[in-house]
Amino acid sequence: MSGNAIELTGLRKTYAAAGSSPAKEALKGIDLTIPQGSIFGLLGPNGAGKSTMINILAGLVNKTSGKVRIWGFDQDVNPRQSRAAIGVMPQELNLDPFFTPRGALEVQAGLYGVPKAQRRTDDILRLIGLEDKAEAYARSLSGGMRRRLLLGKALVHHPQILVLDEPTAGVDIELRQMLWANVRRLNEEGMTIILTTHYLEEAQEMCDEIAIINHGEVIVRDRTDNLLARMDAKTLVITPEAPSGPIDVPGGVECLTRDDGALVFHYHRSEVSANAILEAVRKAKITIRDVATEEPDLEDVFVALTSSNA
Ligand code: ADP
Ligand code: MG
């Protein structure tokens, strides 16, 4: 056992051309490992390939090439075991309107071959807060209730890995909180959680590790705290008209003089504003020729790629 819940190697997916739509390369060779026990965030703008990746994990979409290992099982060699290890709450509400929540959970358990004695339908109904609606037709359930039922369906076979595809897109605050409380509890009980979202803040709050994907490629993958540190750390470069020595700066700011005479300020956005630094520069009677930030931070990168994808 590798310690990884998921291992993807060179995963590619090209959707075939259909009608007037040309072929679409949705995943361009993804290499990604997701450790056991984590809450892992897959971030990316719409169309990045998140659902494609997840639907391949779930066995709902056939990959074009590459390797998929789920809980150590190669999807091509041990399809049954790899499928049993994972439960997926899909992005789309795809419920049969004629099933009650209890019926839908029982049918799902049957599909996964869970013996009657091992089914925990009532526990799951309680977990998703639908015990009162257990016998109601799905078509009479609200959108939020249907989403909760989808979560319940993902859990019937006690998977080691729970995948949530955009679980909070367009849901109200109450459902969001209920979802996150459940997800945290399941994770504390040992379940590995993978969730996709295009809300950066949500991923920051929930996830231990994050991969950002765009146009079918992983562009960043790191621990969330490292990503946050990157986002918080800022560099401001000021080119003065005339060379100057180091100047008095606000606390927490590091000021270096570069060989070309530029002043380089390293600071944390959460502690100091860029304006306070500019103020210090003006106080030192330095005439500014140019101001630049050294590197875009992750947030900038994310915003840039989100808008380029609109
Ligand atoms: P995300 O979940 O990140 O929004 P998707 O995986 O849904 O992204 O989509 C990735 C790309 O693949 C998009 O360009 C989308 O239009 C395309 N795509 C998704 N599903 C299909 C499909 N069934 N047939 C053709 N193209 C698809
Ligand atoms: Mg999607």
Side-chain angles (χ1 to χ4, degrees):
M1 194 78 233
S2 57
N4 284 322
I6 302 282
E7 289 175 19
L8 306 177
T9 317
L11 182 62
R12 291 180 177 275
K13 174 64 187 181
T14 303
Y15 290 104
S20 58
S21 331
K24 171 76 199 181
E25 193 180 14
L27 298 177
K28 300 175 183 168
I30 301 274
D31 296 315
L32 185 65
T33 57
I34 298 180
Q36 290 180 13
S38 59
I39 301 185
F40 192 95
L42 270 181
L43 258 70
N46 283 327
K50 305 180 297 295
S51 292
T52 299
M53 192 191 293
I54 278 174
N55 290 336
I56 290 171
L57 292 176
L60 299 171
V61 166
N62 290 322
K63 63 181 190 268
T64 302
S65 63
K67 274 211 165 305
V68 175
R69 291 177 85 83
I70 301 175
W71 214 254
F73 296 109
D74 187 315
Q75 202 180 39
D76 296 328
V77 181
N78 301 101
R80 220 164 43 83
Q81 289 94 328
S82 65
R83 198 169 94 100
I86 196 165
V88 176
M89 177 181 168
Q91 182 172 4
E92 307 295 332
L93 285 170
N94 56 351
L95 288 167
D96 187 323
F98 298 104
F99 278 115
T100 64
R102 182 186 300 284
L105 293 175
E106 288 287 336
V107 165
Q108 184 80 357
L111 284 176
Y112 276 90
V114 182
K116 281 232 154 62
Q118 285 174 30
R119 294 187 191 171
R120 290 189 306 190
T121 306
D122 285 305
D123 291 344
I124 293 174
L125 285 167
R126 225 176 350 265
L127 178 84
I128 58 178
L130 287 182
E131 63 269 57
D132 295 345
K133 295 278 180 185
E135 321 299 341
Y137 284 117
R139 69 190 138 120
S140 73
L141 302 176
S142 69
M145 290 174 183
R146 290 179 199 201
R147 284 212 162 263
R148 274 139 64 187
L149 183 50
L150 287 177
L151 171 63
K153 282 179 70 179
L155 294 170
V156 292
H157 57 296
H158 320 304
Q160 288 95 331
I161 307 165
L162 173 66
V163 184
L164 308 151
D165 194 0
E166 306 269 356
T168 58
V171 311
D172 60 38
I173 288 178
E174 204 180 338
L175 175 57
R176 186 177 295 217
Q177 285 172 346
M178 171 263 172
L179 262 170
W180 290 150
N182 275 332
V183 161
R184 282 221 164 85
R185 199 168 80 212
L186 291 166
N187 180 250
E188 277 158 19
E189 290 167 4
M191 202 176 274
T192 303
I193 311 283
I194 301 169
L195 63 95
T196 78
T197 179
H198 53 264
Y199 300 122
L200 193 60
E201 263 185 42
E202 188 166 276
Q204 279 176 16
E205 200 184 312
M206 289 297 297
C207 301
D208 311 317
E209 302 194 38
I210 289 175
I212 297 184
I213 76 169
N214 194 34
H215 300 305
E217 295 175 302
V218 175
I219 55 170
V220 188
R221 184 235 197 267
D222 207 340
R223 291 194 49 85
T224 310
D225 46 13
N226 291 341
L227 291 177
L228 285 173
R230 283 199 223 177
M231 282 193 263
D232 193 37
K234 286 272 189 180
T235 302
L236 188 69
V237 181
I238 290 177
T239 311
E241 280 297 352
S244 127
I247 62 166
D248 278 344
V249 289
V253 179
E254 186 194 7
C255 177
L256 306 168
T257 313
R258 229 162 49 183
D259 286 350
D260 63 359
L263 297 168
V264 180
F265 301 89
H266 295 293
Y267 68 103
H268 288 272
R269 197 175 46 174
S270 57
E271 297 164 7
V272 186
S273 71
N275 209 33
I277 295 172
L278 291 171
E279 203 59 54
V281 171
R282 277 187 218 108
K283 254 199 190 137
K285 304 258 187 289
I286 291 172
T287 312
I288 298 172
R289 174 141 49 100
D290 193 19
V291 182
T293 47
E294 188 88 311
E295 293 156 311
D297 64 20
L298 183 70
E299 200 172 51
D300 295 336
V301 171
F302 192 78
V303 167
L305 59 83
T306 305
S307 54
S308 75
N309 207 262

